[in-house]
Amino acid sequence: MNVDGKPYRSIWVNSDGWSVDIIDQTRLPHEFSVLNLQNLAQACAAIRDMAVRGAPLIGSTAAYGYYLALNTDGSDKNLATAYDELLQTRPTAVNLRWALDRIRGKVAALPAAQRAENAFAEAAAIAELDVETNRQIGLHGLKLIEQIAAQKADDEAVNILTHCNAGWLATVDWGTATAPIYMAHEAGIPLHVWVDETRPRNQGASLTAWELQHHAVPHTLIVDNAGGHLMQTGAVDLCLVGSDRTTRSGDVCNKIGTYLKALAAADNGIPFYVCLPSSTIDWTISDGLQQVPIEQRNGIEVSQVSGRLKNGEITSVSIVTEGTPVANPAFDVTPAKLVSGLITEAGIIDATESEIGRAFARDSSN
Amino acid sequence: MNVDGKPYRSIWVNSDGWSVDIIDQTRLPHEFSVLNLQNLAQACAAIRDMAVRGAPLIGSTAAYGYYLALNTDGSDKNLATAYDELLQTRPTAVNLRWALDRIRGKVAALPAAQRAENAFAEAAAIAELDVETNRQIGLHGLKLIEQIAAQKADDEAVNILTHCNAGWLATVDWGTATAPIYMAHEAGIPLHVWVDETRPRNQGASLTAWELQHHAVPHTLIVDNAGGHLMQTGAVDLCLVGSDRTTRSGDVCNKIGTYLKALAAADNGIPFYVCLPSSTIDWTISDGLQQVPIEQRNGIEVSQVSGRLKNGEITSVSIVTEGTPVANPAFDVTPAKLVSGLITEAGIIDATESEIGRAFARDSSN
């Protein structure tokens, strides 16, 4: 999507034709800074230091990183060690392993000298697949927004609330929850997005608001506490969120606080849709509350807030006294009963085991 | 309650016997600093600059401020101008006008020379009345906590979630939502309090966590997003919150985000109680959602976060880029249907028009 009026993806091949550029997302929203990756070490650092984040983008960065490693040294030994090094950057990222396996599968049987070239093509294919998946999510979600817009006066905006960043910065392009929003904006439908700041890491304030600002989509930042009030007072027509993991029965694990917004949407009769690529459906589990382990992150994310001082310096301030006990669960589970539907690359489906199984032709009893 | 092991109120007469001390709450949680008030200008500044906040404490500070004004000059002219000056410090604070009217009513008919002495006594009576009201709220709420504790193993803590600061710092002592907590703690019931940080102004992180820490009540700070997850996973036994205004039918206007916690409590069968002095019941309105105007505060409270730098300096950082649109509704309304009960100085009552009317012997049809 656009940055300063110019279209970008979150990862792309440099104009030199071989090295890879990414946006240093740790500097956002205060600074737009591009990092050039030329070797394995730089790619690993980009993932480890969270210059890139979001499962799909991590996968694509690992794929290009693997290519860069093989570009330096296409040997069997490097094929093995680069795989391991990249895998260690974010051990729990499912897309990372998937992308590495896919590249290795394509190039392992080739002569060393041909591996880089083929890895490059495969990394590009992985990135394109992500873009296409999100584009499909966007097209399906667009229909939903069109239906809401049709019930409004011509110039009346459709008000959408989103939580965290399931935007193009978390993917290669379009995003998941933002794909329908960008599609509707391009289609000329008047829109306004309520952006939850999403404590503790403030991805809404830092990333989603920044994305929407640069793509000229009208939006307003709010604290996470405000969404319920806005829904009670008719200021929200639709909630769109992403998902880190969805069970085969439609329970949605997403950024902490998603569940509270789903409750408020249900209480006020507002549609609450979850946008996800089918690759994030976990077919092995059914009961999200019982079966999805919730990551407990470092309390420093709660007690310290990062931002920009008046002098431009980016730093952190402590909002509590030293020694204040802090808990920091990173995700919660929204039960399927609160989900109006899942917007996937295959269409909009009910958040039920039978519908999910049917849509993706999986035998969900396995 | 205790600060560094020593009992404090939020306002008290200095050891000199005539001037008045308050805690500078703008410095909390990073610094415990006492301000000495000797005249009207200092009292007005304390209220205006929010060194004191919370309706009951504002009322008591205004009462003592009125006394200090009359101590300087007991004339009819000063009786009128000091009233006006104090009233202008926080024009919407209902307790402020009530306290000033009460003092003026007591001293207006007296000779100028006797006014200060009588205003002093009346200010003390106002402060004592607040303490006693909160103590009663605490005693009634204590029974609720005892009932929950009785169903637990001996050493198993009762887990209470609270939002914002309805603590002793907002009143003269005990607080409203915290009164049952302090009572139960004094009674030796094992307790643990989940403290919502309460964006945007972070009163939970700055004030409630500080209070509990100093009174040695076990507690954990969480982001506002986390409470739903904690309720889903059995980590919360009881929610206790305060109220800025309660309609005669039991709808509760309180700090933004309260409604989301009430929804989560209802969804998980967790009791959700509101602690309030009956003086905050608004007998003139019935439908909270339709009739309570919600204050829209400055967006800078959202875009800027105040805290302490590593070097000890207290400053603010911006979490967004300049020009990001921000909305900042300060309160929301929790419908009576989500409220398990109201803990008042007269006992615990249902959040219904008939029960509220009966408890306070008011004809609620007026």
Side-chain angles (χ1 to χ4, degrees):
Chain A
M1 314 315 294
N2 287 353
V3 179
D4 293 330
K6 185 181 155 194
Y8 274 87
R9 287 184 173 184
S10 63
I11 187 166
W12 64 95
V13 178
N14 185 280
S15 57
D16 64 15
W18 73 272
S19 70
V20 177
D21 287 343
I22 58 165
I23 299 164
D24 183 356
Q25 299 193 22
T26 64
R27 310 297 296 171
L28 293 177
H30 307 295
E31 191 187 315
F32 178 68
S33 163
V34 172
L35 289 178
N36 180 245
L37 310 179
Q38 306 198 348
N39 55 48
L40 174 65
Q42 289 170 342
C44 287
I47 299 171
R48 192 183 305 113
D49 303 343
M50 300 184 74
V52 293
R53 17 73 57 201
L57 176 55
I58 289 172
S60 279
T61 308
Y64 275 114
Y66 206 5
Y67 141 71
L68 288 171
L70 297 171
N71 192 48
T72 306
D73 171 3
S75 70
D76 284 1
K77 178 160 178 290
N78 202 36
L79 190 68
T81 56
Y83 181 99
D84 291 341
E85 266 191 65
L86 281 160
L87 196 61
Q88 286 313 308
T89 53
R90 294 286 295 275
T92 58
V94 176
N95 296 48
L96 198 157
R97 183 188 289 270
W98 169 83
L100 295 176
D101 284 342
R102 196 166 145 162
I103 301 254
R104 191 169 59 180
K106 282 277 179 184
V107 307
L110 298 175
Q114 290 175 25
R115 282 173 176 163
E117 184 189 338
N118 282 275
F120 181 85
E122 190 62 16
I126 287 171
E128 289 304 329
L129 178 62
D130 181 61
V131 175
E132 180 57 18
T133 298
N134 297 330
R135 205 177 67 84
Q136 290 298 332
I137 290 171
L139 287 170
H140 295 300
L142 170 60
K143 288 177 215 148
L144 204 59
I145 297 175
E146 283 172 339
Q147 285 163 20
I148 296 169
Q151 293 160 16
K152 297 209 162 220
D154 275 358
D155 53 351
E156 202 189 345
V158 176
N159 281 293
I160 299 171
L161 184 141
T162 191
H163 190 69
C164 198
N165 178 258
W168 70 268
L169 289 167
T171 64
V172 178
D173 209 353
W174 293 106
T176 52
T178 55
I181 292 169
Y182 289 125
M183 289 278 177
H185 179 70
E186 313 259 293
I189 297 172
L191 285 178
H192 170 263
V193 182
W194 296 107
V195 180
D196 277 0
E197 68 172 345
T198 319
R199 284 277 289 148
R201 288 167 58 87
N202 285 356
Q203 294 96 330
S206 305
L207 304 175
T208 306
W210 183 88
E211 277 192 15
L212 295 173
Q213 184 175 36
H214 276 275
H215 206 76
V217 180
H219 64 282
T220 304
L221 179 70
I222 50 173
V223 295
D224 302 305
N225 282 325
H229 167 70
L230 294 174
M231 292 193 224
Q232 282 180 308
T233 53
V236 180
D237 297 306
L238 171 67
C239 297
L240 290 178
V241 300
S243 169
D244 287 81
R245 198 202 286 207
T246 300
T247 70
R248 68 169 187 263
S249 58
D251 291 344
V252 172
C253 179
N254 191 44
K255 186 66 51 183
I256 191 80
T258 302
Y259 164 58
L260 293 171
K261 296 301 145 63
L263 284 169
D267 194 45
N268 294 286
I270 294 165
F272 185 93
Y273 282 85
V274 179
C275 303
L276 68 154
S278 60
S279 59
T280 57
I281 296 170
D282 187 338
W283 297 96
T284 67
I285 57 177
S286 168
D287 184 332
L289 265 176
Q290 296 298 321
Q291 296 180 290
V292 177
I294 300 298
E295 182 187 357
Q296 302 291 325
R297 293 181 58 91
N298 196 318
I300 208 168
E301 293 181 352
V302 176
S303 59
Q304 304 269 336
V305 175
S306 170
R308 197 185 67 247
L309 289 171
K310 277 210 186 79
N311 67 13
E313 187 193 340
I314 297 170
T315 187
S316 289
V317 293
S318 174
I319 61 163
V320 292
T321 53
E322 248 175 85
T324 298
V326 175
N328 186 16
F331 302 95
D332 64 22
V333 173
T334 298
K337 67 171 183 182
L338 298 175
V339 177
S340 307
L342 306 174
I343 307 179
T344 75
E345 72 273 22
I348 300 180
I349 56 177
D350 289 348
T352 61
E353 186 150 354
S354 58
E355 286 301 306
I356 295 170
R358 190 173 309 154
F360 298 101
R362 287 284 298 253
D363 178 356
S364 60
S365 65
N366 286 334
Chain B
M1 313 314 295
N2 288 352
V3 178
D4 293 330
K6 184 181 155 194
Y8 274 87
R9 287 184 173 183
S10 63
I11 187 165
W12 63 95
V13 178
N14 185 280
S15 58
D16 64 16
W18 73 272
S19 69
V20 176
D21 286 344
I22 58 164
I23 300 164
D24 183 356
Q25 299 192 22
T26 64
R27 309 298 297 171
L28 294 177
H30 306 295
E31 189 187 316
F32 178 67
S33 161
V34 172
L35 289 179
N36 180 246
L37 310 179
Q38 306 198 347
N39 55 49
L40 174 66
Q42 289 170 341
C44 287
I47 300 170
R48 193 183 304 111
D49 303 344
M50 300 183 75
V52 294
R53 17 73 57 200
L57 176 54
I58 288 172
S60 279
T61 308
Y64 275 113
Y66 207 6
Y67 141 70
L68 288 171
L70 297 171
N71 193 49
T72 307
D73 172 4
S75 70
D76 283 2
K77 179 161 179 288
N78 201 37
L79 190 69
T81 56
Y83 181 99
D84 290 341
E85 266 191 65
L86 282 160
L87 196 62
Q88 285 314 308
T89 53
R90 295 287 294 275
T92 59
V94 176
N95 296 48
L96 198 158
R97 183 189 288 271
W98 169 84
L100 295 176
D101 284 343
R102 197 165 146 161
I103 302 254
R104 191 170 58 178
K106 282 276 179 183
V107 307
L110 299 174
Q114 291 175 25
R115 282 174 175 161
E117 183 187 340
N118 282 276
F120 181 85
E122 190 61 18
I126 287 171
E128 289 305 328
L129 178 63
D130 181 60
V131 175
E132 179 57 19
T133 298
N134 298 328
R135 205 178 68 85
Q136 291 297 333
I137 290 172
L139 287 170
H140 295 300
L142 170 61
K143 288 178 213 147
L144 204 61
I145 297 175
E146 283 173 339
Q147 285 164 17
I148 296 169
Q151 293 160 16
K152 298 209 162 218
D154 275 358
D155 54 351
E156 202 188 344
V158 176
N159 281 293
I160 299 171
L161 183 142
T162 191
H163 190 69
C164 198
N165 178 258
W168 70 267
L169 289 168
T171 64
V172 177
D173 209 353
W174 295 106
T176 53
T178 55
I181 292 169
Y182 289 125
M183 288 277 178
H185 179 71
E186 313 259 292
I189 297 172
L191 286 179
H192 169 264
V193 182
W194 297 106
V195 179
D196 278 0
E197 67 172 345
T198 319
R199 283 278 288 149
R201 288 167 57 87
N202 284 356
Q203 294 96 329
S206 305
L207 304 175
T208 306
W210 183 89
E211 277 192 16
L212 296 172
Q213 184 176 35
H214 276 276
H215 207 76
V217 180
H219 64 282
T220 304
L221 179 70
I222 50 174
V223 295
D224 302 305
N225 282 324
H229 167 70
L230 294 173
M231 292 193 223
Q232 282 180 309
T233 53
V236 179
D237 297 306
L238 170 67
C239 297
L240 289 178
V241 300
S243 169
D244 287 80
R245 198 201 287 208
T246 300
T247 70
R248 66 169 188 263
S249 58
D251 291 344
V252 172
C253 178
N254 192 44
K255 187 66 50 185
I256 190 81
T258 302
Y259 165 58
L260 294 170
K261 296 302 145 62
L263 284 169
D267 194 45
N268 294 285
I270 294 165
F272 185 93
Y273 282 85
V274 180
C275 304
L276 69 153
S278 60
S279 58
T280 57
I281 297 171
D282 187 338
W283 298 96
T284 67
I285 58 176
S286 168
D287 184 332
L289 266 176
Q290 295 298 322
Q291 296 181 289
V292 177
I294 299 297
E295 181 186 357
Q296 303 291 324
R297 293 180 59 91
N298 196 318
I300 207 169
E301 293 181 353
V302 176
S303 59
Q304 304 269 335
V305 176
S306 169
R308 198 185 65 247
L309 288 170
K310 276 211 186 80
N311 67 12
E313 187 193 340
I314 297 170
T315 186
S316 290
V317 294
S318 175
I319 61 164
V320 293
T321 53
E322 248 173 85
T324 297
V326 175
N328 186 17
F331 302 95
D332 64 22
V333 173
T334 299
K337 67 171 184 185
L338 298 175
V339 177
S340 307
L342 305 174
I343 307 180
T344 75
E345 72 274 21
I348 301 180
I349 56 177
D350 289 348
T352 62
E353 186 150 353
S354 58
E355 287 301 306
I356 295 170
R358 191 171 308 153
F360 298 101
R362 286 285 298 255
D363 178 357
S364 61
S365 66
N366 285 335

